[in-house]
Amino acid sequence: MSKTVLITGASSGFGEACAHHFAKLGARLILCARRQNRLEELAHKLIESTDVLIEVVDVRNNSSVEDFINKLPDDWRNIDVLVNNAGLALGLEPANNASLEDWDTMIDTNIKGLNYVTRAVLPGMVERNKGHIINIGSIAGSYAYPGGNAYGGTKAYVQQFSRNLRADLIGKKVRVTNIEPGLAETEFSVVRFHGDIDKAKNVYQDTHPLFADDIARSVVWAANQPEHVNINTIEVMPTCQAWGPLAVAKEPSSD
Ligand code: NDP
Ligand code: 8X3
């Protein structure tokens, strides 16, 4: 695969695993996230198998996203695959108790950040009539669960935005895929619980969750389809996860 792949949120979890999988196929990698040390460690591991460019970028900051994309060296400008992976959940409180600041951070990252990177990269893809945007949505964008509130809302946005991108790109050879993982053990829950490792571990205890490699395989598979094939959506759950019954609140009668 002689493609140039840009992965956001490459410093851990799915993004880091995608970097390893794409590197194995010989793709050139542009990796970004906020934690420079993590990116450097990853680049150090990958550099023997492929060319790697790292950049510290906070996707919430549109001017730094634009700067980063506009100032890419000439031989890195033609991005073939964008993996819009940077994102997070914060909190699992019911909406009436949830932190508005957490809601804003999720919206700024999962929605606005994804928009900024897409808007910066897409014109080049359209001009070259070639490219693939792979968004990382979530099952939380399709199925509601207690405490999912704003996080699920942001991933519903990713789902519909992905479809609308396809509508805009009709007639162009630019593909769009939304990958919707279920329960997956990464740093996701540590972030969700603001660094409470025990609480995060408890989410996966006595389960066999997805791991980052499971999702990276789906991402790479979608990217490796022949150019006339667009994988619209991939929804992936661990076998131990399924839907429950809809909740019904019972009110005991007074007589
Ligand atoms: P991780 O916490 O392991 O990885 C999240 C990545 O996003 C990190 O590399 C982090 O890097 C990056 N990131 C977060 N905020 C920003 C920002 N403002 N700017 C740039 N990068 C940022 O979690 P996952 O790998 O699990 O999550 C990846 C994606 O998958 C997310 O969009 C998440 O919502 C989604 N997802 C996760 C599921 C799960 O159960 N794990 C299931 C379904 C979807 P840094 O902190 O260095 O900036
Ligand atoms: C992460 C999956 O079910 O924890 O997006 O929200 S879930």
Side-chain angles (χ1 to χ4, degrees):
M1 184 196 248
S2 57
K3 286 183 178 169
T4 299
V5 178
L6 165 58
I7 304 170
T8 69
S11 60
S12 71
F14 300 161
E16 180 178 359
C18 285
H20 284 287
H21 281 249
F22 276 116
K24 263 186 217 148
L25 296 173
R28 309 164 75 233
L29 299 173
I30 307 172
L31 307 175
C32 66
R34 292 166 301 175
R35 286 171 292 177
Q36 183 164 10
N37 59 332
R38 290 288 199 96
L39 291 174
E40 283 171 354
E41 280 166 27
L42 178 59
H44 188 71
K45 286 182 202 154
L46 296 172
I47 204 71
E48 283 190 1
S49 34
T50 190
D51 292 338
V52 182
L53 192 72
I54 57 170
E55 185 79 22
V56 173
V57 180
D58 184 333
V59 297
R60 293 171 296 177
N61 183 334
N62 189 33
S63 56
S64 61
V65 169
E66 283 181 343
D67 246 35
F68 156 53
I69 298 298
N70 292 337
K71 291 184 182 157
L72 281 171
D74 281 349
D75 56 335
W76 287 93
R77 301 186 71 78
N78 294 351
I79 296 166
D80 296 295
V81 180
L82 162 62
V83 183
N84 264 325
N85 164 74
L88 77 177
L90 290 171
L92 197 61
E93 296 295 314
N96 51 305
N97 288 332
S99 150
L100 254 188
E101 202 184 330
D102 284 351
W103 283 9
D104 283 343
T105 305
M106 291 188 278
I107 290 165
D108 289 346
T109 311
N110 303 356
I111 297 181
K112 293 171 77 177
L114 183 137
N115 282 353
Y116 296 152
V117 181
T118 303
R119 191 61 187 77
V121 171
L122 187 58
M125 289 183 171
V126 170
E127 203 178 297
R128 293 187 296 279
N129 199 23
K130 186 170 186 271
H132 193 168
I133 295 180
I134 302 181
N135 293 327
I136 305 298
S138 168
I139 58 160
S142 301
Y143 313 113
Y145 63 84
N149 44 66
Y151 177 68
T154 65
K155 293 301 185 176
Y157 175 87
V158 174
Q159 181 183 85
Q160 193 63 7
F161 181 61
S162 304
R163 292 174 180 155
N164 282 332
L165 280 178
R166 291 269 291 128
D168 285 350
L169 290 165
I170 185 77
K172 301 281 176 203
K173 291 181 178 156
V174 179
R175 298 183 285 174
V176 184
T177 300
N178 186 29
I179 306 218
E180 303 179 343
L183 184 81
E185 187 166 5
T186 58
E187 292 178 20
F188 177 83
S189 290
V190 177
V191 173
R192 173 168 241 170
F193 298 124
H194 298 279
D196 186 333
I197 296 194
D198 290 338
K199 219 168 163 184
K201 271 193 184 147
N202 192 43
V203 173
Y204 310 105
Q205 192 166 358
D206 302 325
T207 75
H208 189 160
L210 299 171
F211 295 108
D213 275 339
D214 299 317
I215 298 308
R217 279 198 306 278
S218 297
V219 171
V220 164
W221 177 79
N224 260 333
Q225 294 305 302
E227 282 195 4
H228 67 287
V229 177
N230 191 97
I231 304 298
N232 294 336
T233 309
I234 303 179
E235 185 182 288
V236 193
M237 286 185 191
T239 310
C240 66
Q241 186 175 38
W243 307 271
L246 289 175
V248 178
K250 296 205 174 180
E251 295 175 26
S253 63
S254 50
D255 43 69

